[in-house]
PDB file of all heavy atoms in Angstrom:
ATOM      1  N   GLU N  69      20.554   8.529 -58.402  1.00 95.00           N
ATOM      2  CA  GLU N  69      21.726   7.793 -58.875  1.00 95.00           C
ATOM      3  C   GLU N  69      22.507   8.574 -59.930  1.00 95.00           C
ATOM      4  O   GLU N  69      23.687   8.315 -60.162  1.00 95.00           O
ATOM      5  CB  GLU N  69      21.287   6.452 -59.474  1.00 95.00           C
ATOM      6  CG  GLU N  69      20.855   5.426 -58.454  1.00 95.00           C
ATOM      7  CD  GLU N  69      21.970   4.994 -57.523  1.00 95.00           C
ATOM      8  OE1 GLU N  69      23.082   4.711 -58.009  1.00 95.00           O
ATOM      9  OE2 GLU N  69      21.729   4.935 -56.301  1.00 95.00           O
ATOM     10  N   GLU N  70      21.872   9.555 -60.554  1.00 95.00           N
ATOM     11  CA  GLU N  70      22.505  10.283 -61.646  1.00 95.00           C
ATOM     12  C   GLU N  70      22.738  11.754 -61.352  1.00 95.00           C
ATOM     13  O   GLU N  70      23.340  12.460 -62.171  1.00 95.00           O
ATOM     14  CB  GLU N  70      21.660  10.159 -62.922  1.00 95.00           C
ATOM     15  CG  GLU N  70      21.481   8.725 -63.406  1.00 95.00           C
ATOM     16  CD  GLU N  70      20.573   8.631 -64.603  1.00 95.00           C
ATOM     17  OE1 GLU N  70      20.072   9.701 -65.049  1.00 95.00           O
ATOM     18  OE2 GLU N  70      20.352   7.519 -65.102  1.00 95.00           O
ATOM     19  N   GLU N  71      22.278  12.260 -60.187  1.00 96.00           N
ATOM     20  CA  GLU N  71      22.400  13.684 -59.885  1.00 96.00           C
ATOM     21  C   GLU N  71      23.090  13.914 -58.545  1.00 96.00           C
ATOM     22  O   GLU N  71      22.784  13.255 -57.551  1.00 96.00           O
ATOM     23  CB  GLU N  71      21.030  14.353 -59.873  1.00 96.00           C
ATOM     24  CG  GLU N  71      20.386  14.467 -61.243  1.00 96.00           C
ATOM     25  CD  GLU N  71      19.081  15.223 -61.191  1.00 96.00           C
ATOM     26  OE1 GLU N  71      18.295  14.966 -60.243  1.00 96.00           O
ATOM     27  OE2 GLU N  71      18.838  16.071 -62.070  1.00 96.00           O
ATOM     28  N   LEU N  72      24.014  14.884 -58.557  1.00 95.00           N
ATOM     29  CA  LEU N  72      24.742  15.262 -57.355  1.00 95.00           C
ATOM     30  C   LEU N  72      24.496  16.729 -57.025  1.00 95.00           C
ATOM     31  O   LEU N  72      24.390  17.567 -57.920  1.00 95.00           O
ATOM     32  CB  LEU N  72      26.247  15.051 -57.545  1.00 95.00           C
ATOM     33  CG  LEU N  72      26.762  13.619 -57.622  1.00 95.00           C
ATOM     34  CD1 LEU N  72      28.257  13.624 -57.938  1.00 95.00           C
ATOM     35  CD2 LEU N  72      26.491  12.865 -56.333  1.00 95.00           C
ATOM     36  N   LEU N  73      24.437  17.011 -55.727  1.00 94.00           N
ATOM     37  CA  LEU N  73      24.365  18.384 -55.249  1.00 94.00           C
ATOM     38  C   LEU N  73      25.783  18.793 -54.876  1.00 94.00           C
ATOM     39  O   LEU N  73      26.441  18.134 -54.064  1.00 94.00           O
ATOM     40  CB  LEU N  73      23.444  18.466 -54.032  1.00 94.00           C
ATOM     41  CG  LEU N  73      23.021  19.844 -53.546  1.00 94.00           C
ATOM     42  CD1 LEU N  73      22.227  20.575 -54.611  1.00 94.00           C
ATOM     43  CD2 LEU N  73      22.209  19.714 -52.265  1.00 94.00           C
ATOM     44  N   TYR N  74      26.284  19.900 -55.472  1.00 93.00           N
ATOM     45  CA  TYR N  74      27.696  20.229 -55.283  1.00 93.00           C
ATOM     46  C   TYR N  74      27.944  21.731 -55.259  1.00 93.00           C
ATOM     47  O   TYR N  74      27.083  22.549 -55.578  1.00 93.00           O
ATOM     48  CB  TYR N  74      28.530  19.591 -56.400  1.00 93.00           C
ATOM     49  CG  TYR N  74      28.493  20.344 -57.722  1.00 93.00           C
ATOM     50  CD1 TYR N  74      29.520  21.218 -58.078  1.00 93.00           C
ATOM     51  CD2 TYR N  74      27.437  20.184 -58.620  1.00 93.00           C
ATOM     52  CE1 TYR N  74      29.494  21.915 -59.284  1.00 93.00           C
ATOM     53  CE2 TYR N  74      27.396  20.870 -59.822  1.00 93.00           C
ATOM     54  CZ  TYR N  74      28.432  21.734 -60.149  1.00 93.00           C
ATOM     55  OH  TYR N  74      28.391  22.426 -61.339  1.00 93.00           O
ATOM     56  N   GLN N  75      29.177  22.079 -54.862  1.00 89.00           N
ATOM     57  CA  GLN N  75      29.692  23.430 -54.973  1.00 89.00           C
ATOM     58  C   GLN N  75      31.103  23.325 -55.549  1.00 89.00           C
ATOM     59  O   GLN N  75      31.729  22.260 -55.493  1.00 89.00           O
ATOM     60  CB  GLN N  75      29.708  24.127 -53.612  1.00 89.00           C
ATOM     61  CG  GLN N  75      30.437  23.352 -52.538  1.00 89.00           C
ATOM     62  CD  GLN N  75      30.222  23.903 -51.135  1.00 89.00           C
ATOM     63  OE1 GLN N  75      30.692  23.319 -50.190  1.00 89.00           O
ATOM     64  NE2 GLN N  75      29.518  25.008 -50.977  1.00 89.00           N
ATOM     65  N   THR N  76      31.600  24.413 -56.109  1.00 86.00           N
ATOM     66  CA  THR N  76      32.932  24.359 -56.719  1.00 86.00           C
ATOM     67  C   THR N  76      34.036  24.515 -55.688  1.00 86.00           C
ATOM     68  O   THR N  76      35.131  23.998 -55.859  1.00 86.00           O
ATOM     69  CB  THR N  76      33.083  25.444 -57.805  1.00 86.00           C
ATOM     70  OG1 THR N  76      32.817  26.728 -57.218  1.00 86.00           O
ATOM     71  CG2 THR N  76      32.109  25.201 -58.949  1.00 86.00           C
ATOM     72  N   ASN N  77      33.727  25.232 -54.597  1.00 79.00           N
ATOM     73  CA  ASN N  77      34.703  25.419 -53.514  1.00 79.00           C
ATOM     74  C   ASN N  77      34.039  25.109 -52.184  1.00 79.00           C
ATOM     75  O   ASN N  77      32.958  25.634 -51.887  1.00 79.00           O
ATOM     76  CB  ASN N  77      35.235  26.860 -53.489  1.00 79.00           C
ATOM     77  CG  ASN N  77      36.070  27.182 -54.708  1.00 79.00           C
ATOM     78  OD1 ASN N  77      37.078  26.532 -54.968  1.00 79.00           O
ATOM     79  ND2 ASN N  77      35.654  28.177 -55.471  1.00 79.00           N
ATOM     80  N   PRO N  78      34.654  24.246 -51.370  1.00 76.00           N
ATOM     81  CA  PRO N  78      34.044  23.909 -50.082  1.00 76.00           C
ATOM     82  C   PRO N  78      34.135  25.044 -49.085  1.00 76.00           C
ATOM     83  O   PRO N  78      35.006  25.904 -49.168  1.00 76.00           O
ATOM     84  CB  PRO N  78      34.872  22.706 -49.621  1.00 76.00           C
ATOM     85  CG  PRO N  78      36.199  22.888 -50.286  1.00 76.00           C
ATOM     86  CD  PRO N  78      35.910  23.545 -51.603  1.00 76.00           C
ATOM     87  N   PHE N  79      33.211  25.044 -48.126  1.00 70.00           N
ATOM     88  CA  PHE N  79      33.192  25.989 -47.016  1.00 70.00           C
ATOM     89  C   PHE N  79      33.066  27.432 -47.493  1.00 70.00           C
ATOM     90  O   PHE N  79      33.696  28.347 -46.958  1.00 70.00           O
ATOM     91  CB  PHE N  79      34.430  25.819 -46.132  1.00 70.00           C
ATOM     92  CG  PHE N  79      34.685  24.389 -45.745  1.00 70.00           C
ATOM     93  CD1 PHE N  79      35.951  23.841 -45.870  1.00 70.00           C
ATOM     94  CD2 PHE N  79      33.659  23.601 -45.275  1.00 70.00           C
ATOM     95  CE1 PHE N  79      36.184  22.519 -45.515  1.00 70.00           C
ATOM     96  CE2 PHE N  79      33.884  22.270 -44.928  1.00 70.00           C
ATOM     97  CZ  PHE N  79      35.142  21.742 -45.043  1.00 70.00           C
ATOM     98  N   THR N  80      32.283  27.641 -48.545  1.00 72.00           N
ATOM     99  CA  THR N  80      31.979  28.990 -49.014  1.00 72.00           C
ATOM    100  C   THR N  80      30.470  29.172 -49.020  1.00 72.00           C
ATOM    101  O   THR N  80      29.718  28.223 -48.852  1.00 72.00           O
ATOM    102  CB  THR N  80      32.522  29.223 -50.436  1.00 72.00           C
ATOM    103  OG1 THR N  80      31.846  28.333 -51.351  1.00 72.00           O
ATOM    104  CG2 THR N  80      34.012  28.959 -50.496  1.00 72.00           C
ATOM    105  N   THR N  81      30.039  30.403 -49.222  1.00 71.00           N
ATOM    106  CA  THR N  81      28.601  30.692 -49.219  1.00 71.00           C
ATOM    107  C   THR N  81      28.018  30.724 -50.628  1.00 71.00           C
ATOM    108  O   THR N  81      26.936  31.248 -50.846  1.00 71.00           O
ATOM    109  CB  THR N  81      28.336  32.050 -48.535  1.00 71.00           C
ATOM    110  OG1 THR N  81      29.098  33.073 -49.205  1.00 71.00           O
ATOM    111  CG2 THR N  81      28.734  32.000 -47.077  1.00 71.00           C
ATOM    112  N   GLU N  82      28.731  30.179 -51.591  1.00 79.00           N
ATOM    113  CA  GLU N  82      28.215  30.178 -52.959  1.00 79.00           C
ATOM    114  C   GLU N  82      26.980  29.288 -53.078  1.00 79.00           C
ATOM    115  O   GLU N  82      26.756  28.380 -52.273  1.00 79.00           O
ATOM    116  CB  GLU N  82      29.289  29.677 -53.927  1.00 79.00           C
ATOM    117  CG  GLU N  82      29.607  28.188 -53.753  1.00 79.00           C
ATOM    118  CD  GLU N  82      30.649  27.706 -54.741  1.00 79.00           C
ATOM    119  OE1 GLU N  82      31.623  28.445 -54.975  1.00 79.00           O
ATOM    120  OE2 GLU N  82      30.497  26.601 -55.260  1.00 79.00           O
ATOM    121  N   HIS N  83      26.147  29.557 -54.080  1.00 87.00           N
ATOM    122  CA  HIS N  83      24.968  28.736 -54.298  1.00 87.00           C
ATOM    123  C   HIS N  83      25.363  27.341 -54.760  1.00 87.00           C
ATOM    124  O   HIS N  83      26.326  27.165 -55.518  1.00 87.00           O
ATOM    125  CB  HIS N  83      24.058  29.396 -55.348  1.00 87.00           C
ATOM    126  CG  HIS N  83      23.320  30.595 -54.835  1.00 87.00           C
ATOM    127  ND1 HIS N  83      23.859  31.864 -54.858  1.00 87.00           N
ATOM    128  CD2 HIS N  83      22.100  30.714 -54.278  1.00 87.00           C
ATOM    129  CE1 HIS N  83      22.991  32.722 -54.340  1.00 87.00           C
ATOM    130  NE2 HIS N  83      21.914  32.046 -53.970  1.00 87.00           N
ATOM    131  N   LEU N  84      24.613  26.363 -54.275  1.00 91.00           N
ATOM    132  CA  LEU N  84      24.861  24.986 -54.691  1.00 91.00           C
ATOM    133  C   LEU N  84      24.329  24.765 -56.100  1.00 91.00           C
ATOM    134  O   LEU N  84      23.429  25.466 -56.564  1.00 91.00           O
ATOM    135  CB  LEU N  84      24.195  24.018 -53.720  1.00 91.00           C
ATOM    136  CG  LEU N  84      24.617  24.120 -52.250  1.00 91.00           C
ATOM    137  CD1 LEU N  84      23.923  23.043 -51.432  1.00 91.00           C
ATOM    138  CD2 LEU N  84      26.116  24.011 -52.105  1.00 91.00           C
ATOM    139  N   GLN N  85      24.889  23.754 -56.755  1.00 92.00           N
ATOM    140  CA  GLN N  85      24.463  23.398 -58.095  1.00 92.00           C
ATOM    141  C   GLN N  85      24.137  21.911 -58.166  1.00 92.00           C
ATOM    142  O   GLN N  85      24.549  21.127 -57.305  1.00 92.00           O
ATOM    143  CB  GLN N  85      25.559  23.730 -59.118  1.00 92.00           C
ATOM    144  CG  GLN N  85      25.958  25.193 -59.147  1.00 92.00           C
ATOM    145  CD  GLN N  85      27.010  25.480 -60.199  1.00 92.00           C
ATOM    146  OE1 GLN N  85      26.812  25.228 -61.383  1.00 92.00           O
ATOM    147  NE2 GLN N  85      28.154  25.997 -59.773  1.00 92.00           N
ATOM    148  N   ILE N  86      23.382  21.545 -59.190  1.00 94.00           N
ATOM    149  CA  ILE N  86      23.024  20.142 -59.419  1.00 94.00           C
ATOM    150  C   ILE N  86      23.728  19.679 -60.687  1.00 94.00           C
ATOM    151  O   ILE N  86      23.604  20.309 -61.737  1.00 94.00           O
ATOM    152  CB  ILE N  86      21.496  19.970 -59.557  1.00 94.00           C
ATOM    153  CG1 ILE N  86      20.796  20.388 -58.265  1.00 94.00           C
ATOM    154  CG2 ILE N  86      21.156  18.522 -59.910  1.00 94.00           C
ATOM    155  CD1 ILE N  86      19.282  20.385 -58.353  1.00 94.00           C
ATOM    156  N   ARG N  87      24.492  18.588 -60.580  1.00 95.00           N
ATOM    157  CA  ARG N  87      25.213  18.043 -61.731  1.00 95.00           C
ATOM    158  C   ARG N  87      24.577  16.729 -62.158  1.00 95.00           C
ATOM    159  O   ARG N  87      24.369  15.819 -61.341  1.00 95.00           O
ATOM    160  CB  ARG N  87      26.682  17.807 -61.371  1.00 95.00           C
ATOM    161  CG  ARG N  87      27.480  16.981 -62.389  1.00 95.00           C
ATOM    162  CD  ARG N  87      27.689  17.737 -63.697  1.00 95.00           C
ATOM    163  NE  ARG N  87      28.499  18.895 -63.504  1.00 95.00           N
ATOM    164  CZ  ARG N  87      29.832  18.907 -63.566  1.00 95.00           C
ATOM    165  NH1 ARG N  87      30.490  17.787 -63.824  1.00 95.00           N
ATOM    166  NH2 ARG N  87      30.501  20.023 -63.387  1.00 95.00           N
ATOM    167  N   ASN N  88      24.241  16.637 -63.441  1.00 96.00           N
ATOM    168  CA  ASN N  88      23.776  15.390 -64.018  1.00 96.00           C
ATOM    169  C   ASN N  88      24.996  14.602 -64.487  1.00 96.00           C
ATOM    170  O   ASN N  88      25.741  15.055 -65.359  1.00 96.00           O
ATOM    171  CB  ASN N  88      22.822  15.654 -65.189  1.00 96.00           C
ATOM    172  CG  ASN N  88      22.183  14.381 -65.710  1.00 96.00           C
ATOM    173  OD1 ASN N  88      22.864  13.484 -66.189  1.00 96.00           O
ATOM    174  ND2 ASN N  88      20.864  14.312 -65.630  1.00 96.00           N
ATOM    175  N   LEU N  89      25.212  13.432 -63.917  1.00 94.00           N
ATOM    176  CA  LEU N  89      26.413  12.670 -64.209  1.00 94.00           C
ATOM    177  C   LEU N  89      26.405  12.074 -65.616  1.00 94.00           C
ATOM    178  O   LEU N  89      27.461  11.818 -66.188  1.00 94.00           O
ATOM    179  CB  LEU N  89      26.590  11.551 -63.179  1.00 94.00           C
ATOM    180  CG  LEU N  89      26.826  12.017 -61.738  1.00 94.00           C
ATOM    181  CD1 LEU N  89      26.878  10.830 -60.794  1.00 94.00           C
ATOM    182  CD2 LEU N  89      28.099  12.843 -61.642  1.00 94.00           C
ATOM    183  N   LYS N  90      25.235  11.870 -66.178  1.00 93.00           N
ATOM    184  CA  LYS N  90      25.159  11.307 -67.530  1.00 93.00           C
ATOM    185  C   LYS N  90      25.460  12.349 -68.589  1.00 93.00           C
ATOM    186  O   LYS N  90      26.238  12.120 -69.520  1.00 93.00           O
ATOM    187  CB  LYS N  90      23.774  10.682 -67.761  1.00 93.00           C
ATOM    188  CG  LYS N  90      23.648   9.257 -67.281  1.00 93.00           C
ATOM    189  CD  LYS N  90      22.390   8.620 -67.823  1.00 93.00           C
ATOM    190  CE  LYS N  90      22.348   7.124 -67.504  1.00 93.00           C
ATOM    191  NZ  LYS N  90      21.146   6.459 -68.062  1.00 93.00           N
ATOM    192  N   THR N  91      24.840  13.513 -68.462  1.00 94.00           N
ATOM    193  CA  THR N  91      24.989  14.551 -69.478  1.00 94.00           C
ATOM    194  C   THR N  91      26.128  15.519 -69.178  1.00 94.00           C
ATOM    195  O   THR N  91      26.622  16.194 -70.082  1.00 94.00           O
ATOM    196  CB  THR N  91      23.687  15.346 -69.610  1.00 94.00           C
ATOM    197  OG1 THR N  91      23.432  16.054 -68.385  1.00 94.00           O
ATOM    198  CG2 THR N  91      22.510  14.416 -69.899  1.00 94.00           C
ATOM    199  N   GLY N  92      26.529  15.613 -67.897  1.00 92.00           N
ATOM    200  CA  GLY N  92      27.550  16.571 -67.503  1.00 92.00           C
ATOM    201  C   GLY N  92      27.026  17.975 -67.311  1.00 92.00           C
ATOM    202  O   GLY N  92      27.786  18.897 -66.993  1.00 92.00           O
TER     203      GLY N  92
END
Side-chain angles (χ1 to χ4, degrees):
E69 287 296 314
E70 299 176 359
E71 290 184 317
L72 290 175
L73 192 62
Y74 79 98
Q75 54 191 176
T76 57
N77 293 301
F79 311 132
T80 64
T81 56
E82 69 179 41
H83 286 87
L84 302 183
Q85 301 182 58
I86 298 174
R87 168 69 65 88
N88 187 298
L89 296 176
K90 274 193 172 182
T91 65

